[in-house]
Amino acid sequence: MISLTNEIPKLNLPLAEVVKINCTYESYKDIALFWTQDGTRAVISMLDGNMVIYNAGADMDELREFIAIISPQSVFSDADTLTALFGVDFHKVCVMKTEQKFVCDNLSDTVSSKEIYELLDVDGLDLPPYEYFAVDFCHRLNHGQLKYYATKGKCAAVGICDGQAVVVNGIASHKKGMGTQALAGLLSQYVLPCIAVCEENIKPFYLKNNFSHAYYAGYWRKTP
């Protein structure tokens, strides 16, 4: 049975969906919604209509009915779960992973949320409106869930962390070769497994930087 909960089970797994759920819980437990199915068969979060599902042997029929009732704007989960729920009607992405320790000799510039947004506002990154981005960026930064690396006018990378793993939440380069510096600059701030969610055509960039392909995930979005 899927039940609304105020406390989610502790999930210490280096999975993109787990890190997203854990970070949402730590930063937004007072306004986000959380559910579990039979303890830990599935753990679900939803913030501003965006749902994330961690599936550990979920009852898919019940989960499908639940989603139909709750009617989220989007669902993020692993590709097998999304296929079981929606067939092929979702956007597939790659989940890359590394446990390498990154080193960066260049310190990040101190930038505003507006400067980070402008650096990340490039083709291939699906950013929300700035007003939403700024509130979320500052809230997670103040709660210790987010770090960034930026060189003004050249590159930026943002990551969220639940204390067990880091998810690269956005990276952009405006000058050739600066993407690798942004990635190293961000991840040098952590000694944890690092995860990146990216499009298939960006996969070679992460492979070049000592990531390996972990699994496929995806986003389902409600059609208007």
Side-chain angles (χ1 to χ4, degrees), residues 2-223:
I2 296 176
S3 305
L4 189 66
T5 181
N6 291 323
E7 276 191 46
I8 62 171
K10 191 170 181 62
L11 301 171
N12 297 328
L13 298 168
L15 301 172
E17 56 272 27
V18 168
V19 176
K20 286 174 179 285
I21 291 170
N22 286 342
C23 286
T24 297
Y25 183 75
E26 290 301 322
S27 295
Y28 290 106
K29 66 178 73 175
D30 54 338
I31 60 172
L33 296 172
F34 302 90
W35 298 266
T36 58
Q37 185 186 65
D38 301 329
T40 58
R41 291 183 67 186
V43 180
I44 305 161
S45 69
M46 190 166 75
L47 178 65
D48 295 331
N50 299 307
M51 181 177 285
V52 181
I53 300 172
Y54 163 62
N55 177 6
D59 179 333
M60 300 306 294
D61 289 335
E62 183 187 32
L63 192 54
R64 195 175 296 107
E65 291 175 7
F66 169 78
I67 290 170
I69 293 169
I70 299 298
S71 192
Q73 293 298 311
S74 71
V75 178
F76 176 83
S77 191
D78 67 275
D80 289 342
T81 296
L82 294 176
T83 299
L85 291 170
F86 306 111
V88 297
D89 185 24
F90 69 92
H91 180 69
K92 185 181 286 188
V93 292
C94 301
V95 178
M96 311 295 290
K97 181 184 173 185
T98 186
E99 296 192 12
Q100 174 180 315
K101 179 67 179 81
F102 286 78
V103 177
C104 182
D105 296 328
N106 300 296
L107 296 177
S108 173
D109 291 337
T110 300
V111 296
S112 67
S113 61
K114 183 66 172 178
E115 289 173 300
I116 283 281
Y117 187 84
E118 289 174 348
L119 284 166
L120 295 177
D121 191 15
V122 296
D123 290 343
L125 284 181
D126 185 15
L127 293 179
Y130 171 69
E131 293 74 14
Y132 177 86
F133 173 90
V135 170
D136 182 64
F137 177 87
C138 294
H139 186 78
R140 292 181 188 270
L141 190 65
N142 292 337
H143 281 73
Q145 298 290 319
L146 178 147
K147 293 183 180 181
Y148 71 85
Y149 178 91
T151 300
K152 290 186 178 182
K154 295 180 179 178
C155 65
V158 175
I160 59 172
C161 176
D162 65 352
Q164 303 298 321
V166 184
V167 169
V168 179
N169 216 34
I171 183 168
S173 171
H174 296 258
K175 186 176 179 182
K176 187 173 177 60
M178 294 298 289
T180 293
Q181 180 175 312
L183 182 67
L186 172 67
L187 299 184
S188 65
Q189 301 176 62
Y190 299 98
V191 187
L192 292 168
C194 303
I195 301 164
V197 180
C198 68
E199 300 293 332
E200 187 77 41
N201 66 316
I202 305 299
K203 187 175 176 180
F205 167 77
Y206 286 104
L207 292 173
K208 182 182 72 174
N209 284 285
N210 297 308
F211 281 68
S212 59
H213 179 87
Y215 61 100
Y216 284 104
Y219 297 88
W220 171 86
R221 290 183 172 88
K222 182 191 292 186
T223 55

